[in-house]
Amino acid sequence: LKHLPFTVENGTKVFRLIAEPVKTEIVPGRTLEAWGFNGSVPGPTIEINEGDRVRIVVENHLPEVFVPHWHGLEVPIGMDGTPGISQAPIKPGESFTYEFTIHQNGTFFYHSHMAMQEMMGMIGLFLVHPKQAHQPAVDRDFGLILQEWAIRPNNPVPNTLAMEFNWLTMNGKSGPATTPMMVKLGERVRIRIVNLGMDHHPLHLHGHQFVVT
């Protein structure tokens, strides 16, 4: 997953997030006409520290209205991204600026709060590192986003009305195109998993002993 770059303005971390159509290849030769952020599906990871003040300028380059939601983050209601409750949806070609201070830490994510747009691919990780590092420290920190797709023959556009899915991706790729998680013997590993799909997806780390938290 790519990381979303930021600038710092008067102590505030400023991100620019663009919702837009994205062509994405989930395996060689299988390209989808999906929707994502900043040219990728899933969108780039927003990574900050607990206590940071962030400003996220969201631009809507989609052909319909859109609004993002910061899933699991405690933010002011006006910054929550709930259409019809906290704000009006962002119209095509327009933007909205979200600004808040993060007082939590952990694994969160952002996603579209409009019907069916999630199943077009609109999600990204939002990672918040703690002020004081958790112990024991980890050597490798991975994030996995699980997504389901209903892809009909000869149609590159996901069927967002379907409830039966025929593709599963991890960070936007299906096997054998998924990226290996490379570690060294003796290293401590953290794997953060976000499941956007409608189904349960038990995962097995073959041959390893690990602790689930």
Side-chain angles (χ1 to χ4, degrees):
L1 296 174
K2 299 189 299 183
H3 281 69
L4 189 63
F6 63 88
T7 58
V8 179
E9 298 180 9
N10 298 321
T12 299
K13 292 182 177 179
V14 181
F15 297 87
R16 182 169 176 254
L17 191 64
I18 301 172
E20 60 185 353
V22 176
K23 289 186 178 181
T24 183
E25 190 177 56
I26 58 176
V27 292
R30 197 65 165 107
T31 299
L32 305 185
E33 301 280 352
W35 289 1
F37 299 93
N38 295 61
S40 69
V41 176
T45 299
I46 298 176
E47 190 169 4
I48 63 170
N49 298 315
E50 182 181 6
D52 282 350
R53 185 160 187 85
V54 298
R55 181 181 305 135
I56 307 173
V57 181
V58 177
E59 300 178 18
N60 182 8
H61 293 187
L62 298 171
E64 63 184 43
V65 296
F66 158 78
V67 64
H69 174 63
W70 320 106
H71 196 97
L73 291 171
E74 297 173 354
V75 300
I77 183 62
M79 299 287 104
D80 188 59
T82 305
I85 297 177
S86 64
Q87 68 171 103
I90 306 170
K91 296 180 180 179
E94 297 186 357
S95 66
F96 189 89
T97 299
Y98 300 84
E99 187 164 341
F100 41 79
T101 300
I102 301 296
H103 59 83
Q104 302 158 268
N105 67 76
T107 305
F108 307 95
F109 59 99
Y110 62 90
H111 62 92
S112 170
H113 235 215
M114 302 299 296
M116 307 305 176
Q117 292 182 0
E118 286 179 325
M119 304 313 293
M120 287 292 290
M122 306 198 73
I123 184 177
L125 281 174
F126 198 127
L127 305 183
V128 185
H129 297 290
K131 289 182 179 180
Q132 294 184 340
H134 297 308
Q135 296 297 326
V138 298
D139 302 292
R140 306 284 178 178
D141 196 339
F142 299 102
L144 295 178
I145 292 181
L146 310 182
Q147 291 173 278
E148 296 165 339
W149 308 86
I151 309 299
R152 299 301 180 244
N154 301 316
N155 189 348
V157 179
N159 183 344
T160 60
L161 291 175
M163 292 301 292
E164 295 181 356
F165 307 99
N166 54 357
W167 288 88
L168 171 68
T169 57
M170 294 183 176
N171 292 350
K173 300 292 183 182
S174 287
T178 48
T179 302
M181 293 183 286
M182 305 297 293
V183 303
K184 295 179 180 179
L185 181 64
E187 288 185 323
R188 188 173 182 85
V189 177
R190 177 187 294 129
I191 303 176
R192 309 169 187 258
I193 301 173
V194 172
N195 179 17
L196 185 65
M198 302 296 177
D199 296 327
H200 298 286
H201 291 290
L203 298 181
H204 174 55
L205 300 182
H206 193 82
H208 297 279
Q209 294 181 344
F210 60 98
V211 177
V212 177
T213 60

